[in-house]
Amino acid sequence: MEFDWDAGNVEKLAWHDVEPEEAVEVFRNSHIKGRGPYREGGETRWDIIGRTVATPARILRVVYT
């Protein structure tokens, strides 16, 4: 899976104190829940909820297109 982080995405992640690498961990680890597809902002989106590998682990919801 390839990840493309534009400046706007990186800024949104930083606002939530999340690094792009940490968001990617949610996809690489066992995820808890996913949803989609749904339409928002003129595009089709999905989301996934899962854990990071940090200690203690964080639970993140990542929305992606």
Side-chain angles (χ1 to χ4, degrees):
M1 182 176 284
E2 186 176 323
F3 297 90
D4 181 25
W5 301 102
D6 65 24
N9 290 336
V10 173
E11 185 178 312
K12 288 176 189 174
L13 288 171
W15 191 84
H16 293 287
D17 196 28
V18 175
E19 294 289 329
E21 296 79 16
E22 189 177 20
V24 170
E25 291 172 5
V26 173
F27 291 88
R28 296 203 170 125
N29 296 327
S30 298
H31 66 274
I32 297 169
K33 180 180 177 182
R35 153 179 99 123
Y38 61 95
R39 300 278 302 168
E40 187 175 307
E43 59 188 6
T44 302
R45 298 178 181 196
W46 291 262
D47 67 16
I48 188 171
I49 300 172
R51 278 182 274 183
T52 65
V53 297
T55 305
R58 298 198 317 168
I59 305 296
L60 300 180
R61 175 181 175 241
V62 180
V63 177
Y64 61 99
T65 59

